[in-house]
Amino acid sequence: MDSAPRTPVTAVIVVAAGSGQRLGYGMPKAKVPLGGDSILTHALRGVAAAGIARQICVAIPPGDPELHALCQAFTQDLQAERRRAGHAGDGGQLPVVTIVDGGATRAESVRAALAALLPATEAVLVHDAARALTPEAVFHRVSQALAAGALAVIPVMPVVDTVKTVEPTTGGGAAIAPELVTGTAARETLRAVQTPQGFELATLRRAHDAAASFDAGQAAAVTDDAMLVELLGVPVYAVRGASQSLKITTPLDLIIAEGLLEGPLGARWVEG
Ligand code: C5P
């Protein structure tokens, strides 16, 4: 008897509606070139290669014709690849690609995508387009944890730096330095959090419904989906992420990503 858990019908939301100001390219980050393609194209290819998505739902900046065209080109490439592989009649296995207008915050972009998921969807992975080089193995680890019964699961990495809390200096201290250390976190219990973050769909919908009524301050403090689920009191599990899943945020990150694709490390470094 096969005791492997059944894989839930899964959608992957790719959030790509950010401005990318910190990258300094003067264009939405999703469009920024990386290894001859755009960051978004790399991200979408990674999702498709993982082979877990019945639907890929992409949130792009509202009214951006170039990113819209880029998503359509990706869909056509998928179809052409499938035909080349001789599976022309197997259209059911090809993920449906849906494009939605993102919102003013990441959470609003996720909510717009949640509203566009196919009715049969049971589980959802939310992925930052900015983590364009995430290995397939990370998608699989997240997906397997969901199949095994997790309602929420995130990929994480150990923290290598010592992490301290600080507050702005006041009084005489302000003439010495801008901040004063208030404590040191226990590094062995800390994890840096990546995407894709996986959820049972009803759980993530409940978390985002609750967050929709946050005030501006609360909304600004939301940096990932798992924290909204934590607020519901639902256990969030953690699986191993990967260094290649770095979030391309600064010019240095882009140099590292280019190096991963093309540099001397590219050919020999394949971390699972
Ligand atoms: O800016 P931040 O680092 O939080 O962005 C993480 C991801 O969320 C990026 O892929 C970005 O495109 C996406 N995002 C979005 N809609 C926003 C802001 C960010 O889809 N309004």
Side-chain angles (χ1 to χ4, degrees):
M1 202 182 82
D2 184 7
S3 60
R6 186 184 75 84
T7 305
V9 177
T10 301
V12 178
I13 291 173
V14 177
V15 280
S19 64
Q21 274 169 1
R22 285 168 292 183
L23 203 52
Y25 247 77
M27 64 170 83
K29 191 180 352 186
K31 277 190 221 179
V32 168
L34 168 64
D37 283 301
S38 68
I39 285 181
L40 180 57
T41 301
H42 282 281
L44 293 174
R45 279 198 202 125
V47 173
I52 55 159
R54 184 75 63 84
Q55 179 185 15
I56 302 174
C57 187
V58 196
I60 61 173
D64 189 316
E66 284 175 57
L67 283 176
H68 206 274
L70 199 146
C71 292
Q72 283 174 330
F74 164 74
T75 311
Q76 282 158 10
D77 285 352
L78 271 186
Q79 288 163 347
E81 244 170 65
R82 182 55 56 94
R83 277 195 298 275
R84 273 197 300 277
H87 295 285
D90 194 15
Q93 296 304 304
L94 210 59
V96 173
V97 179
T98 310
I99 307 164
V100 298
D101 283 345
T105 63
R106 185 186 181 282
E108 282 175 26
S109 296
V110 174
R111 279 195 281 280
L114 282 173
L117 296 187
L118 299 173
T121 311
E122 298 168 301
V124 61
L125 271 58
V126 184
H127 188 44
D128 288 343
R131 296 188 187 275
L133 303 184
T134 300
E136 290 167 39
V138 177
F139 287 92
H140 295 161
R141 285 196 277 276
V142 170
S143 192
Q144 281 158 10
L146 290 173
L151 296 179
V153 57
I154 58 175
V156 301
M157 292 293 282
V159 172
V160 292
D161 294 317
T162 295
V163 178
K164 295 191 187 289
T165 51
V166 296
E167 65 184 16
T169 39
T170 52
I176 300 172
E179 291 178 336
L180 186 67
V181 172
T182 54
T184 305
R187 191 170 62 183
E188 64 278 10
T189 67
L190 296 176
R191 299 291 178 267
V193 177
Q194 303 181 330
T195 70
Q197 300 191 346
F199 305 92
E200 183 228 16
L201 178 59
T203 300
L204 188 63
R205 283 215 162 115
R206 199 152 58 89
H208 272 279
D209 285 349
S213 56
F214 280 2
D215 65 31
Q218 290 170 313
V222 176
T223 51
D224 76 346
D225 299 282
M227 63 186 277
L228 298 178
V229 171
E230 288 160 49
L231 291 174
L232 297 179
V234 170
V236 177
Y237 291 89
V239 295
R240 185 162 52 88
S243 341
Q244 296 106 303
S245 304
L246 82 158
K247 184 159 83 169
I248 301 169
T249 308
T250 64
L252 176 64
D253 299 328
L254 196 55
I255 291 167
I256 295 170
E258 291 280 4
L260 287 172
L261 284 175
E262 293 171 16
L265 280 174
R268 61 186 157 92
W269 185 38
V270 182
E271 179 191 85

